[in-house]
Amino acid sequence: MNNLVQAPEGANTELHPGPILEAAHLRKLFPLGSWNPFGAKLAVHAVEDTSLALYPGRATALVGESGSGKTTVARMLAGLYSPTSGAIRFRGEPAKLNDGSRLRSYRRHVQLILQDPFSSLNPIHDVRYHLGRPLHIFGHAHNNAQETEQILSLLNRVNLSPAEQFIQKFPHQLSGGQRQRVAIARALAVQPEILLADEPVSMLDVSIRLDVLNLLLRLKNEERLALLFITHDIASARYFAEDTLVMYAGQMVEGGPSDEVIQQPRHPYTQLLVSAAPDPARLTADDDKRLTDLPARGEIPSLIRPPSGCRFHPRCPHAMPVCKQRFPRRTELGNGRWTHCFLYGDGEISTEKSEQFTSAAGLVDQTEVKGE
Amino acid sequence: MVTNVNGNVQKETLLEVKNLNVDYLASNGTVHAVTDVSFTLRRGEILGLAGESGSGKSTLAYAITRLLRPPAMITGGEILYYPGSARENGETSRLKWTHLPKNGKGEHIKDKLAKDEVQPKEALDLLQLSPAQLLEIRWNDLAIVFQSAMNALNPVMNIGTQIMDVLQTHRPHMGQDARKQRAVELLQLVGIASDRLRSYPHELSGGMRQRAIIAIALALSPEILIMDEPTTALDVVVQREILTEITRLQQQLGFSVIFITHDLSLLLELADHVAIMYAGRIVEKASRRDLYLHPRHPYSYGLLNSFPTLHGPRRIMAGIPGSPPDLRAVPPGCAFHPRCPLAFDACSRVFPPLQPVPGQESGQTVACHLYDARFNTEPPSTSDLAAKYEALAEGSGIQ
């Protein structure tokens, strides 16, 4: 059993009173339709045993390749998918996401920003409509004057000025960066405490990416939003987030403070990700030295029949026989860092503690959220 | 390699683009997508083109390959190609050059060549070729790899057939067995197992599809390979594998690459020389080391500074403020001046030509008045550029 992500060491307990949103042992299977009713039931094992915690005013980055289950985690946290097992707790209370009104009150606190602002805005509606809808649905605006006033202030918060002009524009009249700002404003209209940003800048042009990232950073710092930042770009995870979690093929493999995870990666997969990231600083005096070979090759395996044990073992340069047999338990590396890798032990130190923690928190057996 | 008069080993010129202009004739105004672009691609070199979307990178690539369609028009310039005299890999079925025009644009190039020992060969102006001549140049000498591998491959043909299709079109005398053998060879060259010959594109992962596209591009061992954002849709790890593959193949086969991307950090690891484009013009050309160590143009610095780093202190970075200009109405003077943190009054009045950076011998050229003694006697150092951008970051109100 893994324990939950603990409050980072040295964190001010007044500033960080505890996680606002926790996910414990989330698991998600997507069943596959089969032509043969007597055949084996197949499912995509998208996410296995994922735990994370979000704190107000802190950003947590979730890093991995496509197909690693990052987006599925975000969608479970947003209540778009119901987990196959595991629990989501909001302010310590189990979040029940199984009926409409509860889901709506949950979404008052948790909002999702999608990757592609070109498809997440409705092309037949203007900015006023996009921002006015959440204001009305969540009861923040009761008449048109209030609505206009709040929309203008939202547009100013996301640096779309002059707001009076933007309010009547349609998505096709906006650039990619402006659309993503509208999408962020739409999430903010609900007045959430938690923003789940699913690759918010990957579709944007290079020079606009930093602007949008800086906007989210400012919101995080000034309004004390808890942010989950999903990305495949490990350098922007370091720039943006205090904590980084690395996922591979649905399994969490490493986590901890961003700087340490990225500068001294421990898990072979994190090492692979870091060495694959473009890094002009590798340009040394040796001008002929070009791209170095990667420590591992290949791609994420099929998750319908995923590799046994640690799913990284077919690509791992350090794979041992035990890696095929079972997934390693969590090993604490100190200073809030942990990894799931047999190279660093098998979690002997932390096992006892974590079981106490989870049973005390009442997280065991609270798995049936909604049957799939 | 040719040894010139001074005894220095200098790579010979393969492609020379001179004052190229491309316009899109739209009903609500002409879009000047590429304006007065000149650069030289040398044999065995990887030239990187970087810039934001809409800076004209892809239009430039399509102009070189003559793939532009109306409303795009090449309104001026020359694209001179210096074909190699003998192919090192000894391809025998290669079409002969003899019936191609020696020189599309009269004698002045020959005169120039007579003076310049480094480029002794005949030049072809790609812009003067007829469709039949283009057919021979394309893929034989000039191949292109497109951004989206899924859309570039035919979904109803397996990849082996698609490779053999190229060979059948361009090498009609090649037998079927020879074609198949070459297809297997090509797949192995790019790291795909030969039993994938009968695989359809949907059966391959994104990285494999991109490799297959590269295999098709290399089918006739072209001299120039143009790659238009070949790795943008791929994951970092796969991207790195493809780039390593390209570097390896380039060193093995000796072709030249024009690599187009918006990701400058990637280009700095890959390319020999980098040209930065802004609003249809090249604003800076430099070797990758020069560009990384001391970008001169404020736009180059801003672009370089738009990528969070893996090392060093974590600090707030400011991107380039504003957005790229509408190419129907490019700002007067330097097109970058409305976004430039170092702009001064001359920038909005006088157009800056691409000039060598004073006091530097490595051939770095920049189009910026800051390095022009007429306007600014003290050219800024990289730290001056950094300071201006940092002031911007502080102004944005984040700790």
Side-chain angles (χ1 to χ4, degrees):
Chain A
M1 281 277 174
N2 312 314
N3 58 354
L4 293 171
V5 180
Q6 287 161 348
E9 237 167 72
N12 187 332
T13 43
E14 272 184 37
L15 277 175
H16 305 289
I20 186 162
L21 188 72
E22 281 174 283
H25 311 295
L26 286 184
R27 187 157 177 265
K28 181 69 184 172
L29 304 180
F30 291 105
L32 290 177
S34 167
W35 56 272
N36 180 1
F38 306 106
K41 291 274 182 286
L42 295 178
V44 178
H45 298 252
V47 173
E48 298 282 355
D49 198 13
T50 289
S51 303
L52 59 89
L54 302 177
Y55 299 85
R58 279 183 82 82
T60 303
L62 192 55
V63 184
E65 286 171 277
S66 0
S68 61
K70 312 180 297 270
T71 300
T72 310
V73 168
R75 293 189 167 194
M76 284 193 282
L77 291 178
L80 292 175
Y81 294 154
S82 39
T84 306
S85 67
I88 296 168
R89 300 194 307 156
F90 175 69
R91 287 212 186 108
E93 298 291 318
K96 292 212 170 64
L97 307 176
N98 47 1
D99 71 58
S101 64
R102 280 174 172 165
L103 195 56
R104 184 166 290 181
S105 65
Y106 176 74
R107 287 195 177 140
R108 189 180 287 279
H109 308 291
V110 182
Q111 281 288 310
L112 180 67
I113 298 167
L114 296 161
Q115 176 174 8
D116 183 1
F118 292 86
S119 56
S120 69
L121 298 178
N122 190 334
I124 64 166
H125 288 303
D126 61 3
V127 169
R128 175 190 290 274
Y129 179 88
H130 280 107
L131 302 184
R133 285 279 291 168
L135 289 174
H136 279 295
I137 290 172
F138 290 92
H140 297 304
H142 301 289
N143 55 45
N144 282 347
Q146 280 182 359
E147 187 197 272
T148 309
E149 186 196 338
Q150 291 189 22
I151 291 175
L152 291 178
S153 91
L154 279 170
L155 289 173
N156 282 323
R157 266 164 82 192
V158 296
N159 300 343
L160 283 176
S161 59
E164 290 77 11
Q165 275 180 30
F166 279 102
I167 197 167
Q168 57 199 5
K169 287 202 174 176
F170 285 86
H172 71 267
Q173 296 169 308
L174 303 174
S175 70
Q178 290 170 340
R179 285 181 207 214
Q180 194 63 293
R181 284 165 200 273
V182 171
I184 292 170
R186 178 173 61 180
L188 292 175
V190 182
Q191 302 176 7
E193 284 120 317
I194 299 151
L195 274 185
L196 310 170
D198 185 4
E199 307 232 19
V201 294
S202 67
M203 301 292 285
L204 304 180
D205 209 356
V206 271
S207 64
I208 295 146
R209 282 184 192 174
L210 262 186
D211 277 356
V212 172
L213 279 187
N214 284 342
L215 167 68
L216 287 170
L217 269 181
R218 206 191 70 213
L219 292 170
K220 180 196 84 176
N221 290 339
E222 288 177 2
E223 314 194 8
R224 310 215 43 79
L225 292 173
L227 266 163
L228 180 70
F229 177 63
I230 293 176
T231 181
H232 60 265
D233 177 10
I234 202 156
S236 65
R238 183 175 100 100
Y239 176 70
F240 190 77
E242 284 88 357
D243 301 304
T244 295
L245 306 168
V246 183
M247 271 187 99
Y248 179 76
Q251 294 171 329
M252 286 272 186
V253 297
E254 184 166 0
S258 298
D259 258 328
E260 292 185 33
V261 170
I262 290 158
Q263 307 223 320
Q264 295 120 31
R266 296 293 171 84
H267 195 281
Y269 179 62
T270 320
Q271 292 171 354
L272 173 66
L273 269 188
V274 172
S275 64
D279 181 10
R282 287 195 199 109
L283 242 157
T284 50
D286 185 7
D287 209 25
D288 284 336
K289 199 178 163 195
R290 285 281 174 80
L291 304 163
T292 43
D293 264 335
L294 290 173
R297 298 182 74 85
E299 284 156 35
I300 285 197
S302 158
L303 296 182
I304 297 172
R305 287 188 189 84
S308 60
C310 173
R311 288 179 184 175
F312 190 59
H313 81 254
R315 294 171 75 185
C316 183
H318 312 289
M320 299 176 278
V322 66
C323 299
K324 287 179 195 163
Q325 289 155 14
R326 60 188 178 83
F327 188 62
R329 283 192 284 263
R330 175 163 153 151
T331 311
E332 298 292 336
L333 300 167
N335 198 15
R337 281 193 74 182
W338 50 268
T339 183
H340 289 278
C341 183
F342 286 114
L343 291 175
Y344 304 97
D346 189 19
E348 297 88 352
I349 317 144
S350 62
T351 318
E352 218 180 290
K353 219 166 46 178
S354 74
E355 270 171 8
Q356 279 171 7
F357 180 75
T358 41
S359 57
L363 284 166
V364 192
D365 298 330
Q366 199 213 46
T367 50
E368 278 302 307
V369 177
K370 191 179 180 183
E372 270 297 310
Chain B
M1 296 280 201
V2 172
T3 310
N4 67 9
V5 201
N6 303 326
N8 298 328
V9 174
Q10 191 174 344
K11 287 177 177 173
E12 52 184 305
T13 304
L14 185 60
L15 187 78
E16 204 172 359
V17 175
K18 284 183 179 174
N19 309 100
L20 187 70
N21 284 282
V22 182
D23 289 350
Y24 286 88
L25 306 173
S27 57
N28 51 355
T30 305
V31 177
H32 304 286
V34 173
T35 315
D36 201 17
V37 164
S38 305
F39 64 86
T40 307
L41 176 71
R42 294 177 196 286
R43 214 168 278 276
E45 178 188 57
I46 300 182
L47 176 75
L49 277 177
E52 289 169 271
S53 339
S55 59
K57 313 179 297 274
S58 295
T59 305
L60 181 57
Y62 292 156
I64 296 170
T65 43
R66 293 278 309 271
L67 287 170
L68 289 173
R69 290 179 180 203
M73 284 267 294
I74 297 173
T75 51
E78 291 175 338
I79 301 171
L80 301 178
Y81 170 51
Y82 301 87
S85 52
R87 305 279 280 194
E88 282 159 27
N89 52 11
E91 293 242 349
T92 48
S93 55
R94 214 178 126 66
L95 295 174
K96 293 285 175 275
W97 278 101
T98 43
H99 58 283
L100 289 174
K102 293 291 182 232
N103 180 351
K105 276 216 165 172
E107 295 299 306
H108 68 280
I109 294 161
K110 272 186 187 161
D111 294 345
K112 189 194 161 294
L113 289 176
K115 280 181 248 160
D116 195 349
E117 295 91 333
V118 183
Q119 299 149 3
K121 298 198 187 64
E122 304 286 344
L124 287 166
D125 189 346
L126 296 184
L127 298 181
Q128 306 296 323
L129 298 183
S130 70
Q133 292 164 338
L134 265 180
L135 200 66
E136 287 176 13
I137 290 244
R138 283 188 189 148
W139 239 255
N140 273 317
D141 297 273
L142 186 64
I144 183 163
V145 172
F146 294 102
Q147 176 170 0
S148 163
M150 192 64 220
N151 301 337
L153 286 170
N154 187 338
V156 297
M157 281 165 82
N158 62 45
I159 55 167
T161 315
Q162 295 189 48
I163 297 176
M164 287 186 267
D165 203 28
V166 174
L167 296 171
Q168 195 163 15
T169 311
H170 290 272
R171 301 275 186 276
H173 305 300
M174 215 166 167
Q176 192 165 6
D177 290 345
R179 282 204 295 269
K180 189 172 176 187
Q181 198 189 340
R182 176 76 178 145
V184 170
E185 242 174 68
L186 284 164
L187 284 186
Q188 282 167 349
L189 197 65
V190 296
I192 302 181
S194 50
D195 57 356
R196 290 293 198 157
L197 199 64
R198 297 268 163 255
S199 294
Y200 286 87
H202 73 269
E203 296 172 311
L204 303 175
S205 67
M208 297 251 273
R209 273 182 227 141
Q210 198 65 57
R211 283 167 193 267
I213 296 269
I214 294 171
I216 294 175
L218 295 177
L220 307 177
S221 358
E223 294 204 78
I224 305 171
L225 189 59
I226 296 175
M227 311 191 100
D228 185 11
E229 309 233 9
T231 59
T232 307
L234 303 175
D235 268 317
V236 268
V237 179
V238 184
Q239 165 175 302
R240 170 54 58 119
E241 281 177 12
I242 298 276
L243 294 181
T244 316
E245 204 72 53
I246 292 169
T247 321
R248 188 180 63 76
L249 290 169
Q250 191 262 337
Q251 278 162 1
Q252 186 183 335
L253 305 174
F255 52 85
S256 307
V257 181
I258 299 179
F259 195 97
I260 297 169
T261 179
H262 63 270
D263 191 343
L264 190 54
S265 59
L266 185 152
L267 216 46
L268 287 174
E269 284 195 73
L270 181 80
D272 298 300
H273 285 87
V274 179
I276 309 283
M277 285 189 79
Y278 183 75
R281 291 177 187 270
I282 292 182
V283 295
E284 181 161 1
K285 271 191 287 194
S287 72
R288 57 178 182 149
R289 274 185 70 77
D290 283 342
L291 194 73
Y292 175 62
L293 295 175
H294 38 76
R296 299 297 187 190
H297 200 284
Y299 179 67
S300 313
Y301 180 85
L303 206 56
L304 201 60
N305 197 36
S306 296
F307 297 96
T309 53
L310 286 172
H311 311 283
R314 267 166 73 176
R315 60 195 169 83
I316 287 299
M317 301 160 77
I320 307 164
S323 45
D326 182 351
L327 292 176
R328 284 180 301 234
V330 178
C334 171
F336 186 58
H337 83 262
R339 303 173 71 187
C340 182
L342 290 95
F344 55 101
D345 55 340
C347 297
S348 56
R349 290 185 285 108
V350 188
F351 168 74
L354 199 60
Q355 288 173 332
V357 177
Q360 195 178 327
E361 298 193 343
S362 55
Q364 188 167 11
T365 53
V366 64
C368 184
H369 291 321
L370 291 169
Y371 304 95
D372 192 330
R374 285 179 298 159
F375 300 104
N376 187 9
T377 44
E378 285 178 45
S381 66
T382 311
S383 53
D384 294 338
L385 296 180
K388 289 284 182 185
Y389 270 99
E390 257 161 42
L392 269 183
E394 278 162 26
S396 66
I398 325 154
Q399 304 88 14

